[in-house]
Amino acid sequence: MGDIEDPSAGLNKLLQSGSRSLDMEHASGFGVVDQVFGFDISHMSSASANLVANNNSIDPSSIHGINLLPGLFQQQQQQTAFNQDEKPQILNPGMISNQNQHQFVQNPAMLLPFSYSQLQEHHNNQHFSSPPPSKRLNSGPVGVNYAPKVFDSRPPELFLPRQHQQQQQNHQFQMLQQQQQQKQGMIMNQKMATDELVNQQQLQQATINPICQAAELIETGNPVHAQGILARLNHQLSLPIGKPYQRTAFYFKDALQLLLHSSNNSNLMDTACNLIFKIGAYKSFSEISPILQFANFTCNQVLLEAFEGFERIHIVDFDIGYGGQWASLMQELALKAGGAPSLKITAFASPSSHDELELGFTQENLRIFASEMNMPFELEILSLESLGSGSWPLPPRTSEKEVTAVNLPIGSFSNDPSTLPVVLRFVKQLSPKVVVSLDRGCDRSDLPFAHHVNHAIQSYSTLLESLDAVNVHPDALQKIERFLVQPGIEKLVLGRHRCPERTPPWRTLFLQSGFIPLTFSNFTESQAEYLVQRTPVRGFHVEKRQSSLVLCWQRMDLVSASAWRC
């Protein structure tokens, strides 16, 4: 429309558009006209309506309020009063927005106002059959101070009152401060935890290093200086109290002192009262810790799978203990559909590690239990030292319905590590169907004496840490340490000092002797995991490594079970 040269033609188009307003509801025609003319078309629409009503007579004053192009013609603004019932209506709301979204375009052909004769000539030619155009909302006269409305594209929240915006900014700032404080607090807590861990490690090393130094002096034949170190440790470790590593260090300090003062004797009392305390401690340990259940049930499951289909069972045991493992096995064997098979156990024990009172109690206890199960049972106890003579006391298997299995825990040789290679040769000659073994992780005869002591301190510290996590009564924990842990530490220290020669790792010895590792069945693995899950303390878990099942506390090993075939 900016190219129109005839002003009357522009007015004709403007007036004709009123009769087609209903068909152009969504068009932007008026918006374009408004932009070209530079004034509000509502006044012109009012003048056209008056013309129709007065039978082609028009009052020039009806268009008096029209201002063309603000700034070019300045005239005094006059507002025409309308009746409330004659309020103009909006033809199309979108036109208003279109009107305000564009800049005004000045057309040189539209600078002069229309004459009265031109307006009258146009209306005489107009057909009055069509209804009058709809009135648009009177937005007021276009004066010299008129400025087009500019829509703000800023986010809605910026139109809020300044006070509300300030409150939002303060809230966001406070939230940011809280997040920064929480982050700083987490960093500080992590730093404090790391510093505490470093301090604990430093204190632990300051306690353990003197013990290892004393062990090294004993190994090199300098017992005087070793005794001086142990004497100074008596002030620091006067009682088995404190953290697990402190109590463990106390027991190893006492074991080394026992080694220096009386290397041929132990402080264990071979009395009936002492045996009762040991059995009570063993019972408490089996109830508190999952170690015994994990070891017994895992090994017994392997044996049960190997015994399937046999009527006579022969077990060669190198760690009879109190016979708890075999009582559990008897219960499983008695449930067989064809009846319980006969069971014979040959136990090898060393007089230096097993007293006659303890062995007699175990033997009698197993016999009574077997009679209650209606199971044929036989138990024979032989001396471990008899294997060193080269004459094997056991005859070979004579029946096809008889199966032989061997229980060979590595810890049973801590009192005399040099006997393990001899035992492996003997077991190889037996040709058992399966060999089960346990490793506590503290029997490292492949290391020098001082390093062996250091490794054993770490293992026993882990054991006591797992016991502390159960949160049992202190009296029960003290009995376990006094009658189980401390005797085991003394046995390890005295036995390794008696046989200072280093031997290959036990797994290497097994492989060199012709033993082949077996894989546990899925049921055995699931049973081990189920036993650990029943423990009320979180931290125990089972890992599978090199065909072995390992019971762990946190990241440290407690005991591992393995199965072998000759």
Side-chain angles (χ1 to χ4, degrees):
M1 295 182 63
D3 297 333
I4 297 176
E5 297 180 359
D6 188 1
S8 62
L11 181 60
N12 290 337
K13 291 183 179 181
L14 177 64
L15 295 179
Q16 292 172 3
S17 63
S19 62
R20 297 191 305 268
S21 60
L22 296 178
D23 299 331
M24 300 176 58
E25 181 177 358
H26 299 288
S28 56
F30 281 118
V32 176
V33 173
D34 294 346
Q35 295 167 22
V36 175
F37 280 84
F39 58 88
D40 198 334
I41 199 64
S42 59
H43 298 283
M44 186 66 69
S45 301
S46 301
S48 175
N50 293 336
L51 178 62
V52 175
N54 295 330
N55 217 5
N56 294 337
S57 63
I58 184 172
D59 186 4
S61 63
S62 61
I63 58 173
H64 178 74
I66 300 177
N67 292 332
L68 302 178
L69 295 182
L72 296 179
F73 298 93
Q74 296 183 359
Q75 55 183 336
Q76 187 174 357
Q77 301 180 1
Q78 296 182 358
Q79 182 99 17
T80 305
F82 290 97
N83 194 323
Q84 184 68 20
D85 297 334
E86 297 179 356
K87 252 185 189 180
Q89 297 181 355
I90 299 176
L91 176 64
N92 191 348
M95 299 177 182
I96 301 178
S97 61
N98 293 332
Q99 175 183 352
N100 296 323
Q101 290 178 357
H102 301 277
Q103 296 179 353
F104 289 100
V105 180
Q106 295 182 0
N107 193 331
M110 301 299 173
L111 295 181
L112 297 177
F114 297 110
S115 64
Y116 174 78
S117 60
Q118 290 174 333
L119 292 175
Q120 188 174 11
E121 180 182 358
H122 170 75
H123 285 287
N124 289 334
N125 298 329
Q126 181 71 24
H127 297 283
F128 297 104
S129 59
S130 61
S134 301
K135 296 183 180 181
R136 295 180 58 191
L137 178 64
N138 187 3
S139 58
V142 181
V144 295
N145 297 327
Y146 170 77
K149 182 179 179 181
V150 179
F151 288 91
D152 204 327
S153 61
R154 293 176 296 174
E157 56 268 15
L158 296 182
F159 293 95
L160 298 174
R162 183 176 298 274
Q163 182 179 4
H164 193 188
Q165 294 182 13
Q166 187 67 28
Q167 290 177 355
Q168 284 189 343
Q169 293 176 358
N170 293 339
H171 179 69
Q172 295 176 357
F173 180 73
Q174 292 176 359
M175 293 293 294
L176 182 60
Q177 274 189 330
Q178 291 179 0
Q179 293 177 358
Q180 292 178 350
Q181 291 176 357
Q182 291 177 357
K183 185 176 180 180
Q184 292 177 355
M186 293 175 60
I187 296 175
M188 289 297 297
N189 292 337
Q190 292 178 355
K191 185 177 182 302
M192 292 174 61
T194 303
D195 295 342
E196 184 178 357
L197 180 61
V198 171
N199 293 335
Q200 289 293 337
Q201 292 177 348
Q202 292 176 351
L203 292 175
Q204 184 173 350
Q205 290 300 323
T207 304
I208 296 175
N209 287 342
I211 298 176
C212 297
Q213 293 174 1
E216 186 175 5
L217 291 173
I218 294 174
E219 183 182 15
T220 57
N222 195 348
V224 177
H225 287 81
Q227 180 60 39
I229 293 177
L230 296 176
R232 289 192 295 271
L233 283 175
N234 284 332
H235 299 285
Q236 182 181 354
L237 301 172
S238 57
L239 292 173
I241 57 176
K243 296 184 178 298
Y245 77 88
Q246 294 173 323
R247 305 200 303 270
T248 304
F250 173 85
Y251 296 132
F252 273 89
K253 172 189 70 72
D254 277 8
L256 291 176
Q257 287 179 335
L258 179 65
L259 176 64
L260 293 176
H261 294 303
S262 55
S263 58
N264 294 327
N265 297 318
S266 176
N267 64 345
L268 296 179
M269 301 178 295
D270 298 331
T271 63
C273 182
N274 183 62
L275 179 59
I276 293 174
F277 284 132
K278 291 174 64 176
I279 295 174
Y282 181 86
K283 183 175 182 297
S284 298
F285 181 67
S286 63
E287 295 173 351
I288 293 172
S289 175
I291 293 178
L292 290 179
Q293 292 186 9
F294 169 82
N296 293 342
F297 281 95
T298 302
C299 292
N300 283 351
Q301 182 59 36
V302 176
L303 296 176
L304 289 172
E305 294 173 0
F307 296 161
E308 192 66 32
F310 292 92
E311 297 178 357
R312 298 177 60 185
I313 298 173
H314 184 194
I315 297 176
V316 180
D317 188 10
F318 288 90
D319 188 14
I320 187 73
Y322 298 108
Q325 177 180 355
W326 308 130
S328 175
L329 181 65
M330 288 180 190
Q331 288 180 324
E332 296 296 331
L333 293 175
L335 299 177
K336 283 184 172 293
S342 63
L343 176 62
K344 179 182 179 180
I345 298 178
T346 300
F348 285 90
S350 174
S352 60
S353 59
H354 294 82
D355 61 82
E356 294 183 1
L357 185 61
E358 181 178 327
L359 291 175
F361 169 81
T362 301
Q363 189 174 17
E364 186 66 21
N365 189 35
L366 287 176
R367 285 176 178 172
I368 295 174
F369 193 82
S371 64
E372 294 177 354
M373 295 287 105
N374 295 323
M375 177 182 295
F377 176 74
E378 181 183 354
L379 174 60
E380 184 180 8
I381 299 177
L382 301 177
S383 174
L384 184 62
E385 283 74 8
S386 63
L387 296 179
S389 61
S391 59
W392 314 122
L394 292 177
R397 185 178 69 241
T398 58
S399 175
E400 293 296 332
K401 295 184 178 181
E402 180 180 349
V403 60
T404 302
V406 177
N407 182 41
L408 191 62
I410 304 303
S412 59
F413 304 99
S414 61
N415 191 55
D416 190 1
S418 62
T419 59
L420 180 58
V422 178
V423 170
L424 290 177
R425 289 195 298 269
F426 168 71
V427 172
K428 179 68 174 178
Q429 186 176 350
L430 289 177
S431 298
K433 187 173 183 180
V434 66
V435 177
V436 291
S437 180
L438 294 172
D439 177 25
R440 300 177 301 172
C442 59
D443 302 297
R444 296 294 303 274
S445 57
D446 58 307
L447 300 175
F449 180 61
H451 293 80
H452 187 181
V453 169
N454 183 32
H455 187 81
I457 290 176
Q458 302 294 337
S459 297
Y460 274 98
S461 297
T462 303
L463 172 62
L464 296 187
E465 183 180 342
S466 67
L467 293 177
D468 286 354
V470 183
N471 195 21
V472 298
H473 196 276
D475 293 341
L477 188 58
Q478 290 177 4
K479 290 179 181 178
I480 293 174
E481 295 183 12
R482 172 66 184 86
F483 295 102
L484 292 182
V485 175
Q486 186 175 6
I489 292 175
E490 293 174 353
K491 177 183 175 182
L492 183 147
V493 172
L494 296 177
R496 180 58 197 275
H497 182 261
R498 189 182 300 112
C499 303
E501 295 82 8
R502 297 172 59 183
T503 61
W506 70 269
R507 285 185 176 274
T508 302
L509 290 175
F510 273 52
L511 295 174
Q512 291 176 354
S513 300
F515 288 70
I516 301 174
L518 298 177
T519 302
F520 289 102
S521 64
N522 294 333
F523 182 82
T524 304
E525 295 178 5
S526 301
Q527 178 181 253
E529 294 177 354
Y530 174 73
L531 289 173
V532 174
Q533 291 175 358
R534 290 178 54 191
T535 307
V537 179
R538 299 305 177 192
F540 295 99
H541 62 278
V542 178
E543 295 183 4
K544 186 177 180 180
R545 301 190 213 137
Q546 300 178 354
S547 302
S548 298
L549 291 180
V550 185
L551 176 63
C552 303
W553 166 253
Q554 304 296 353
R555 299 181 180 179
M556 299 294 294
D557 297 353
L558 290 174
V559 62
S560 65
S562 59
W564 303 79
R565 183 180 69 250
C566 294

